[in-house]
Amino acid sequence: MKQDLGRQLSIRATAYVAGEAVPFFWPMRTFVKRNPLHGLEHLAFEEALAKGADLFRARTFLSRGQYQAYLAGGKVSAESLEHEIAAAIGEAAGEAKNAATLPGIDLGAWVKSLLTGCIDPLSPAVAAKGPDLHAALHGAEIPAAPASREAVEAELLAAFPDDRPLYEAIDALFGTELGERLDGQVIRACLAFFDEGQSVWSMPDRSKGFFTAWRNVAPSGARRVLAEVEAGAPAGTAPGPERVIDHVLSAIGVPSEARPTYLTREMMRLQGWSGFIRWRAQAKRYYWSQEHPGDLVDLLAVRCTLGMALMQGLEGCPVTVPALRDLCAQRPFEMALRRDYHERRVPAPMIRDVQTAVERGKASRLDKVASRYLAERHRAAHRRLAGELQRLGRKTGQLDALMSLGPEDLAALVDLLSRIERREGMIWLRASEATALDTLMGGLTLTPPPPRDKRPFVQAAFCIDVRSERIRRHLEGVGDYQTFGIAGFFGVPASLLELGKGSEKHLCPVLLTPRNLVLEMSAADWSDEAAVTLLDKVMHELKETVISPFVTVEAIGLLFGLDMIGKTLAPQTYHRLRERLDAKKPRTHLILDKLSREQADSIVRAVQRAVIIEAAEHELGLPTEDINDAIVRELREYALKNAEPSPDLAARLKTDEPGLAGFVEQLREVYRINRGVADMQMEHLGRVGFGLEEQVMFVQQALSSIGLSENFSRFVLLVGHGSTSENNAYESSLDCGACGGNDGLSSARILANMANKHTVRRRLAEKGIEIPDDTWFLPAMHNTTTDEIALHDLELLPATHLVYLDRLRVGLASASRLCAQERLPALGFRSDHGCDPRAALRGTQRNAVDWSQVRPEWGLSGNAYFVIGRRDLTRGTSMDGRAFLHSYDYRLDPKRRLLENILTGPLVVGQWINLEHYFSTVDNDRLGAGSKVYQNVTGQFGVMTGNLSDLRTGLPSQTVLNRGQPYHQPLRLTTLIEAPFDHAMRAINGVASVKRLVLNGWIRMVILDPVTGQAHVFDESKWITRPSQIDQTEDLVTR
Amino acid sequence: MSSDLALLAGAALLLPLFPFSILAVAVFERIGNGTLRSLLLLVCLLPGAAVLDRAGFIPPDWMLAWAMLTAVFYAWRAVALQDARLWVVFLAVSSGALLWAGAGHDGLLWKALGLGLPLAMMSVLVELIERRFGAAHAGMDLRLATAAPKLSALFVAALLAVIAMPVSPSFFTMLALVVDQSRLSAPTTLAILGCWILWSWSAARLFAGIAVGPRRERTDDIPAGLARIYGAGFVGLGATGIVLGGMLL
């Protein structure tokens, strides 16, 4: 028993460790951009990419052709490329066994020619042999040496290690497609179990857990496997998922040391589903996880069972790891031939012969064809290599030198070139980043601005989102506006219970868990829904049943037709019309202050009263006028078991004693008027609001972090951002990542409310931040799809400020139009829209309401930089919407706490966003989400491509690619901190997670010392001082 | 009688039925010249059809069954084929066998032309692929759709024409065969329809193996001018189909 428990725990621990490499996948309702290789961040960047490429079976760099296009387009400078090539040659020569100088060969020129002038890689598919290459180069016949049995066997064992799923080896050798079939079965099981209300029919017994529920509906092959496991289990117990995994892995013969990687690879085949299940298992408060629990161990048990069932149905194939090894040892040539055939690597001249041999399956014929094939493969590879070398020789003008090399030198040359080619991705990436850094540094200025004679008209704090850079620049250009950058949640982690909603949403980065709850309430009576909104809901519900769509089409299909025509042919006009008909959300207030115990108790009582009245109406059929306060009070006390009912209560309720008892029982059980729930409600209400000191702390932190502690304007805008789009499953990805994938308006309102309170300002003044009485914090919302900025909570604005509103609105509108004009051409709109700002704005507005638009905006594509410093540093330059700009003044942060907060939160979120874009660009099919056109919403939490696929993670192609080519330039995030070197270094060292990211090369870190004017770049594990490129006419003057 | 037998024998060789079709397939496989192969495919069905037409021969039930079995057999075998060159030949044999169902009805020559034209076009496209990539084989990692998009588009158009999609001439031919037989023999009608479905299935598999796959760099695509010429050819094929449809139906 103990041994059994020990084994189960061991399996569970192994699965847990194996799952570390699987990135989380959050439900798409609040899209979270994350680094898909987050589980590998403990490794150096280059190493992690190599491992990630293996685990995800994905590319981690762009193709050579795409980098060549960057070189031609100036995104990679020739100098930086040459510099990286020289460094790579030095490293490769140091690693190579035979690193002797090759006479007459300028390796730098060769590598540059290879990378910039050739499309296909040079590295041969087989190990190059000097004498054979020499013969091919000189046109001589390559000797027909038989392939080495040991070499072929070693090649096979390297291709099929013990930690690779066995069915993948079987598929590669026998073309069986087991992997695809297994994935399909597992996906169906996941769809049935994890559905969150999209399906009308779901898997039964889901409350018992994934594996248990699936076991009851498992197909017959899987049931046989489960019966085998059960036979070995203690009597009377159904085998748990751990036992199933252990049984299958033991039966297949996977060695213990290979199991963690084996299980990782299993999960990585469906990394979307695995990531979702992994996230779900640790999200303890997630409703669906509580109702229908399931974790990675369950998933692996289902996978292992189905996999074994599929393999058991095979004939003539090895079904254990030792059997596979034996097969490769006994028949290596045949297996090599089969592998090349099924992996579609057989060249054209031999394809028909190989196909016939493989399909007929006669061992003697296979061996004969295999020997011929391997020899021909060897010869073809050397001929091709010789041809490529000659071509390179001609390009570099060193053909004669090449032809005069002996066999050993030729082998050394190919070895060096192959080593460099293996590092090609990093060469191009580093060259791209160096060019991008030059661009950044060339646009910065340390020259302080002229001193102000008066305060700015408006100060506006925007989210650090890259899309804010453009609007900030234009706003500063149209008037006396001073802008700042701050994380979109304004440093206030809160949960919001919106008006009319039943669940909270977290308005903070997913790394944080908010402790405080804010309630949104309205004075308006919002109980009557507009007819159109109601009709909309009914239509949607009708579509979810099985039979009604057939009838509905006949009956009211025309209505849908009108809708379709309207929003297709005239989306803007139709949208305006629908807006008039739909119910408008009333003006709301936010409850921000902590409730006293009496207030909370009063709220609970009020809710209970309302519920009791509804219950009496519904259950007893009593009209409201018959239910007075006294009756309600008495019923409440009775339900809470605080008092016994009066003798005439039943009569007053027009029922008898049993009826009264039954009704009160209903109140307790169904309507939850009971002590337990009341206590829970009190506890929840205890979360509502922020205490005074908390509010003071948040306001102080927000203002200090952006360097705004004096000289406040009349208006201080807090501008959250969100997006607008139609028919877009990725709508949330365009909203604010710092607000957990929601828009930032509520966060702006929360901080504005706090900062406008006299009590808060009084306390702030004691701490040295004096906000004038005429300063008003105004929340606003930047719509990143249309670039419009809408002001909110204007009813709270003091009357004295109303006269300035018009000027403010005009400025904001001008900035919006200019920003739209700048952005629109990149969205492929006609140039006449792009010339006229008003027309451009109309274009973006149409974009936002067009349901056929797969790209309402480019979002955060193009992000490359994260600048932490004063706005004056970047003010003079256009950063083309590519920079996260976080305001920071080191002089207000002597203890570096603010900088550490920025590094811990916003920078890490920025890094996730950057790497999500990176990997979605380099391999959109494996690491991105593919095209939106083929996607279907799944379970209400994700999308699949087609009707059955892995959950699509990452970003869709329309977000990062343009006509199949990268729009987003995949670069690591270049982070620049404007602070004295020592100050910034200590802050980085003080945040362990960021320090690791920097040391491992996940972030490119630059420290710009405003005192010395020098820039220090962290590269290859050391700090390098760059020659100054920065405009600095005088040293920074202290205030 | 002997002249009838001689005619019949001639037709059996020219529109070969299994197992005589094995020889025809072997001969076609050995023709290395792509142009010659295409021309032969264009005309190979015509002589046999002419002989049957001239003889006014109405095949007996057993012979019709033999022809339909041959047609279905080659259509079914084509589903598993990965070599586009061999696939065209198999479909030619299947088409030839189906023509026996048109014997004794009007317009047999036009039907033969209707089936032969798309096969010839397909053979030309296969030749173009073979010249660029060495073989048109689903066992290779061609990914034609991204490697050579224009060539891929023409390849697909040819595939659709061969499997009798409207408005290809073969569509009207097949329709005419079905209409002719539907009044006479349900099993023959079903066999014709069965072939049609099997051709489509095999074409989809071939297309998936040759054209579909993860994006790859563009290689040696056909020039735009040549693509336009072939495109015009397909438009002509469609027009021919419409005219043929008017004649046959």
Side-chain angles (χ1 to χ4, degrees):
Chain A
M1 182 80 156
K2 256 192 202 167
Q3 202 177 9
D4 199 48
L5 180 63
R7 255 191 114 70
Q8 286 180 31
L9 289 172
S10 167
I11 291 288
R12 197 156 268 280
T14 305
Y16 182 85
V17 166
E20 288 278 293
V22 179
F24 281 158
F25 176 78
W26 283 262
M28 278 180 71
R29 291 183 291 271
T30 48
F31 190 94
V32 175
K33 295 184 183 74
R34 83 283 185 263
N35 174 12
L37 268 56
H38 179 63
L40 301 176
E41 278 179 354
H42 59 283
L43 301 172
F45 182 72
E46 197 175 344
E47 195 185 335
L49 255 57
K51 186 151 187 197
D54 178 38
L55 285 177
F56 286 86
R57 295 168 294 150
R59 278 198 322 269
T60 49
F61 296 101
L62 292 176
S63 69
R64 184 184 289 174
Q66 285 160 335
Y67 282 123
Q68 287 170 354
Y70 279 166
L71 183 66
K75 288 185 178 171
V76 177
S77 70
E79 296 77 28
S80 54
L81 181 62
E82 279 167 15
H83 178 262
E84 293 305 325
I85 288 172
I89 289 171
E91 255 190 68
E95 286 166 4
K97 286 184 205 147
N98 181 4
T101 321
L102 298 162
I105 300 288
D106 174 3
L107 256 185
W110 276 73
V111 174
K112 189 174 173 187
S113 257
L114 175 64
L115 298 192
T116 62
C118 303
I119 288 284
D120 295 320
L122 181 79
S123 301
V126 301
K129 284 194 175 151
D132 293 347
L133 184 57
H134 191 269
L137 205 56
H138 293 272
E141 186 64 30
I142 298 171
S148 152
R149 199 185 169 86
E150 290 73 25
V152 173
E153 186 188 338
E155 191 189 315
L156 284 169
L157 292 176
F160 305 123
D162 292 345
D163 58 22
R164 188 174 169 185
L166 182 60
Y167 51 79
E168 284 185 2
I170 297 173
D171 286 345
L173 294 174
F174 297 94
T176 42
E177 295 181 355
L178 292 178
E180 215 175 290
R181 286 166 58 193
L182 174 59
D183 288 344
Q185 290 181 6
V186 172
I187 292 167
R188 281 191 201 89
C190 290
L191 277 172
F193 183 83
F194 292 104
D195 179 78
E196 295 180 0
Q198 182 165 335
S199 283
V200 177
W201 296 329
S202 59
M203 191 185 278
D205 295 327
R206 289 200 283 167
S207 57
K208 293 182 180 166
F210 182 25
F211 179 70
T212 308
W214 171 81
R215 193 171 50 204
N216 296 337
V217 297
S220 56
R223 283 176 191 269
R224 276 195 290 276
V225 174
L226 292 171
E228 283 170 24
V229 180
E230 210 170 306
T237 59
E242 300 88 351
R243 180 176 279 280
V244 169
I245 295 169
D246 190 31
H247 171 87
V248 170
L249 293 182
S250 301
I252 290 175
V254 178
S256 316
E257 63 276 10
R259 285 188 180 191
T261 310
Y262 191 97
L263 294 178
T264 303
R265 289 187 196 279
E266 283 277 15
M267 287 187 270
M268 284 304 201
R269 281 196 66 97
L270 296 175
Q271 50 114 347
W273 281 106
S274 302
F276 175 63
I277 293 168
R278 186 176 170 232
W279 170 81
R280 208 174 167 278
Q282 56 83 51
K284 300 297 174 209
R285 285 191 178 174
Y286 191 57
Y287 169 79
W288 294 100
S289 179
Q290 292 165 350
E291 292 293 305
H292 312 305
D295 61 13
L296 287 178
V297 176
D298 291 334
L299 174 69
L300 285 168
V302 170
R303 252 200 105 81
C304 286
T305 310
L306 289 168
M308 184 142 187
L310 283 171
M311 285 191 288
Q312 279 180 344
L314 293 176
E315 281 176 20
C317 301
V319 291
T320 65
V321 169
L324 174 68
R325 270 195 240 122
D326 289 342
L327 195 61
C328 293
Q330 287 159 15
R331 287 142 61 181
F333 294 150
E334 178 193 334
M335 292 302 123
L337 184 71
R338 284 183 175 280
R339 186 196 63 171
D340 278 11
Y341 173 67
H342 289 296
E343 290 187 351
R344 303 168 97 184
R345 286 193 248 166
V346 177
M350 287 209 65
I351 184 68
R352 291 186 184 91
D353 288 344
V354 169
Q355 182 192 1
T356 310
V358 168
E359 284 181 356
R360 287 192 187 160
K362 267 179 79 171
S364 55
R365 185 178 174 143
L366 274 165
D367 265 342
K368 217 163 89 177
V369 172
S371 299
R372 195 158 54 90
Y373 166 74
L374 290 170
E376 179 51 37
R377 187 180 75 167
H378 179 87
R379 279 196 290 268
H382 282 78
R383 277 197 294 269
R384 184 194 152 265
L385 187 56
E388 291 298 321
L389 286 173
Q390 282 175 333
R391 197 161 7 159
L392 277 173
R394 276 191 283 275
K395 275 187 198 279
T396 54
Q398 296 170 26
L399 183 61
D400 292 340
L402 172 72
M403 299 302 282
S404 63
L405 288 179
E408 275 187 25
D409 283 342
L410 275 174
L413 174 63
V414 170
D415 179 53
L416 276 170
L417 291 176
S418 298
R419 282 175 193 275
I420 292 168
E421 257 192 343
R422 281 196 286 276
R423 297 206 62 226
E424 180 182 353
M426 280 306 294
I427 292 172
W428 283 110
L429 179 63
R430 287 174 57 84
S432 308
E433 288 167 351
T435 311
L437 182 58
D438 287 341
T439 308
L440 171 68
M441 301 303 283
L444 300 178
T445 177
L446 281 172
T447 307
R452 287 186 154 274
D453 52 0
K454 59 181 171 90
R455 60 182 181 172
F457 170 56
V458 169
Q459 287 158 331
F462 287 81
C463 179
I464 61 172
D465 191 291
V466 299
R467 292 167 286 182
S468 301
E469 187 270 326
R470 282 201 177 93
I471 191 77
R472 286 174 64 179
R473 185 170 16 100
H474 286 294
L475 195 58
E476 288 160 355
V478 299
D480 190 13
Y481 295 83
Q482 186 180 29
T483 69
F484 300 86
I486 185 172
F489 71 118
F490 298 97
V492 185
S495 276
L496 175 72
L497 189 59
E498 262 186 288
L499 180 70
K501 297 278 162 79
S503 61
E504 300 170 17
K505 55 184 189 185
H506 292 181
L507 302 177
C508 58
V510 293
L511 304 163
L512 305 176
T513 307
R515 286 192 326 232
N516 306 77
L517 176 64
V518 173
L519 304 179
E520 188 180 38
M521 308 207 70
S522 168
D525 176 15
W526 206 40
S527 53
D528 295 322
E529 288 195 80
V532 170
T533 312
L534 203 56
L535 183 64
D536 215 18
K537 278 192 188 164
V538 168
M539 289 294 113
H540 269 90
E541 279 166 15
L542 271 178
K543 283 198 275 187
E544 283 171 8
T545 64
V546 177
I547 305 295
S548 58
F550 295 98
V551 177
T552 313
V553 164
E554 304 297 330
I556 53 171
L558 190 59
L559 277 178
F560 279 97
L562 291 172
D563 182 59
M564 190 183 79
I565 290 168
K567 61 187 183 183
T568 304
L569 298 180
Q572 262 177 296
T573 311
Y574 187 74
H575 178 76
R576 277 196 286 270
L577 179 66
R578 282 296 301 264
E579 270 197 319
R580 278 198 211 126
L581 296 174
D582 283 333
K584 302 238 179 323
K585 190 177 174 183
R587 291 226 163 91
T588 59
H589 297 268
L590 297 178
I591 299 189
L592 280 181
D593 295 317
K594 275 273 181 230
L595 299 171
S596 64
R597 189 163 178 84
E598 291 73 31
Q599 285 171 318
D601 189 55
S602 177
I603 289 174
V604 171
R605 283 171 187 271
V607 168
Q608 288 169 337
R609 261 188 230 116
V611 169
I612 289 169
I613 292 172
E614 281 283 334
E617 265 186 277
H618 186 71
E619 304 295 341
L620 300 176
L622 290 175
T624 324
E625 47 273 20
D626 286 354
I627 313 166
N628 59 36
D629 284 351
I631 292 175
V632 171
R633 196 179 314 118
E634 220 178 314
L635 280 169
R636 179 178 172 273
E637 294 299 309
Y638 185 17
L640 291 175
K641 297 183 182 177
N642 290 343
E644 289 301 314
S646 60
D648 64 341
L649 181 58
R652 280 186 282 157
L653 288 171
K654 300 188 171 77
T655 184
D656 51 20
E657 293 292 335
L660 173 63
F663 175 63
V664 171
E665 198 51 36
Q666 269 187 312
L667 282 179
R668 287 183 188 136
E669 298 304 321
V670 177
Y671 292 92
R672 297 163 48 124
I673 310 289
N674 58 58
R675 177 54 51 199
V677 171
D679 288 343
M680 196 175 64
Q681 286 168 336
M682 286 293 288
E683 199 185 308
H684 283 165
L685 286 171
R687 284 180 59 218
V688 171
F690 299 84
L692 176 63
E693 286 308 313
E694 277 184 303
Q695 294 186 38
V696 170
M697 187 265 293
F698 283 127
V699 176
Q700 180 188 17
Q701 194 168 267
L703 296 176
S704 302
S705 74
I706 60 175
L708 179 59
S709 58
E710 57 185 22
N711 206 26
F712 289 89
S713 298
R714 186 174 287 111
F715 289 106
V716 178
L717 299 188
L718 301 176
V719 189
H721 71 91
S723 66
T724 308
S725 54
E726 290 283 320
N727 194 25
N728 184 11
Y730 289 87
E731 187 176 22
S732 174
S733 73
L734 298 174
D735 287 339
C736 184
C739 300
N742 301 294
D743 69 65
L745 175 61
S746 300
S747 297
R749 292 180 72 198
I750 289 170
L751 189 71
N753 261 265
M754 290 178 183
N756 284 332
K757 288 195 178 140
H758 289 300
T759 45
V760 170
R761 290 191 184 187
R762 230 183 354 257
R763 293 286 289 120
L764 282 172
E766 290 166 18
K767 291 173 184 280
I769 300 180
E770 296 208 17
I771 303 175
D773 290 338
D774 72 340
T775 294
W776 189 259
F777 288 78
L778 195 54
M781 166 87 153
H782 172 211
N783 186 328
T784 53
T785 313
T786 62
D787 278 314
E788 289 164 298
I789 299 178
L791 302 172
H792 284 263
D793 288 351
L794 288 172
E795 66 277 8
L796 302 175
L797 194 64
T800 49
H801 286 56
L802 295 174
V803 295
Y804 303 103
L805 256 190
D806 191 54
R807 181 182 164 192
L808 174 58
R809 285 192 172 122
V810 166
L812 292 175
S814 301
S816 299
R817 288 193 291 268
L818 290 169
C819 195
Q821 183 189 36
E822 181 182 324
R823 269 198 316 120
L824 212 57
L827 287 164
F829 278 63
R830 293 198 311 270
S831 59
D832 55 351
H833 268 149
C835 291
D836 178 350
R838 281 182 197 275
L841 186 68
R842 282 198 299 276
T844 57
Q845 287 166 342
R846 188 188 192 284
N847 234 11
V849 299
D850 184 356
W851 74 321
S852 68
Q853 180 56 259
V854 290
R855 187 186 292 132
E857 54 167 296
W858 277 113
L860 291 108
S861 275
N863 72 83
Y865 312 109
F866 195 111
V867 179
I868 304 171
R870 296 162 302 126
R871 175 53 175 157
D872 297 324
L873 187 66
T874 53
R875 192 178 169 132
T877 185
S878 162
M879 307 201 77
D880 207 22
R882 302 187 71 191
F884 297 94
L885 297 176
H886 200 304
S887 295
Y888 173 71
D889 191 337
Y890 74 93
R891 295 164 300 183
L892 301 180
D893 184 29
K895 292 189 177 160
R896 301 176 301 277
R897 291 218 180 97
L898 296 173
L899 180 56
E900 286 176 6
N901 280 345
I902 294 171
L903 295 177
T904 311
L907 175 60
V908 172
V909 172
Q911 183 241 353
W912 280 16
I913 291 171
N914 172 261
L915 287 173
E916 180 84 282
H917 281 77
Y918 178 101
F919 290 109
S920 294
T921 305
V922 298
D923 194 342
N924 194 255
D925 290 325
R926 292 290 310 162
L927 296 170
S931 173
K932 280 183 188 177
V933 173
Y934 312 114
Q935 286 174 353
N936 288 292
V937 174
T938 299
Q940 297 200 355
F941 51 78
V943 294
M944 295 192 302
T945 294
N947 70 322
L948 201 75
S949 80
D950 191 11
L951 278 185
R952 298 313 303 260
T953 61
L955 298 165
S957 59
Q958 285 85 357
T959 299
V960 291
L961 304 178
N962 192 10
R963 296 175 197 272
Q965 297 303 313
Y967 175 85
H968 172 77
Q969 188 184 4
L971 302 168
R972 287 173 290 181
L973 191 66
T974 298
T975 304
L976 183 136
I977 302 176
E978 186 211 7
F981 182 74
D982 190 55
H983 181 98
M985 270 286 294
R986 284 171 186 248
I988 294 168
N989 284 329
V991 182
S993 56
V994 173
K995 182 179 173 183
R996 189 181 70 166
L997 290 175
V998 174
L999 285 176
N1000 286 341
W1002 291 86
I1003 291 177
R1004 303 298 308 272
M1005 183 61 75
V1006 181
I1007 298 174
L1008 177 59
D1009 192 327
V1011 175
T1012 63
Q1014 286 190 317
H1016 307 270
V1017 181
F1018 188 79
D1019 193 22
E1020 305 281 297
S1021 306
K1022 56 185 182 299
W1023 288 97
I1024 299 165
T1025 303
R1026 270 177 72 99
S1028 179
Q1029 272 176 269
I1030 295 170
D1031 172 31
Q1032 183 184 9
T1033 55
E1034 55 191 273
D1035 290 336
L1036 184 68
V1037 176
T1038 56
R1039 286 194 199 181
Chain B
M1 182 71 168
S2 61
S3 64
D4 283 347
L5 274 173
L7 275 172
L8 207 56
L13 280 174
L14 294 167
L15 291 177
L17 303 181
F18 186 81
F20 306 109
S21 51
I22 298 174
L23 186 62
V25 170
V27 164
F28 261 105
E29 273 198 289
R30 271 150 185 74
I31 299 173
N33 188 313
T35 312
L36 182 60
R37 244 192 346 265
S38 305
L39 280 170
L40 274 174
L41 280 168
L42 176 65
V43 302
C44 67
L45 301 175
L46 290 172
V51 165
L52 281 178
D53 198 33
R54 192 143 171 228
F57 177 71
I58 298 173
D61 287 348
W62 62 267
M63 191 147 193
L64 206 52
W66 182 15
M68 291 306 103
L69 280 170
T70 301
V72 171
F73 173 68
Y74 275 89
W76 174 69
R77 277 287 288 123
V79 171
L81 286 179
Q82 292 188 299
D83 185 357
R85 192 201 288 190
L86 194 56
W87 183 84
V88 177
V89 174
F90 270 46
L91 252 70
V93 172
S94 184
S95 303
L98 282 180
L99 278 176
W100 286 85
H105 298 275
D106 293 335
L108 187 61
L109 271 174
W110 293 119
K111 286 168 188 161
L113 188 67
L115 291 175
L117 270 173
L119 287 167
M121 286 288 275
M122 177 72 182
S123 181
V124 167
L125 268 301
V126 168
E127 172 70 12
L128 283 177
I129 295 172
E130 286 180 345
R131 263 195 233 144
R132 274 161 180 75
F133 298 97
H137 199 286
M140 292 164 59
D141 190 20
L142 284 176
R143 295 184 261 158
L144 201 64
T146 44
K150 291 194 279 294
L151 183 55
S152 176
L154 293 171
F155 173 70
V156 169
L159 261 184
L160 293 175
V162 167
I163 62 169
M165 283 280 284
V167 291
S168 159
S170 51
F171 168 74
F172 296 101
T173 302
M174 292 294 280
L175 203 55
L177 287 172
V178 167
V179 164
D180 290 343
Q181 285 298 326
S182 62
R183 288 186 281 254
L184 298 171
S185 167
T188 309
T189 310
L190 284 173
I192 297 168
L193 292 172
C195 278
W196 208 345
I197 290 170
L198 287 170
W199 289 356
S200 305
W201 183 6
S202 64
R205 284 175 59 90
L206 199 66
F207 164 74
I210 288 179
V212 174
R215 185 176 293 275
R216 61 175 282 189
E217 301 284 345
R218 276 197 199 183
T219 56
D220 188 15
D221 202 356
I222 57 171
L226 190 61
R228 278 190 215 108
I229 292 171
Y230 281 117
F234 280 109
V235 170
L237 193 70
T240 308
I242 292 168
V243 168
L244 205 66
M247 291 164 62
L248 293 176
L249 296 169

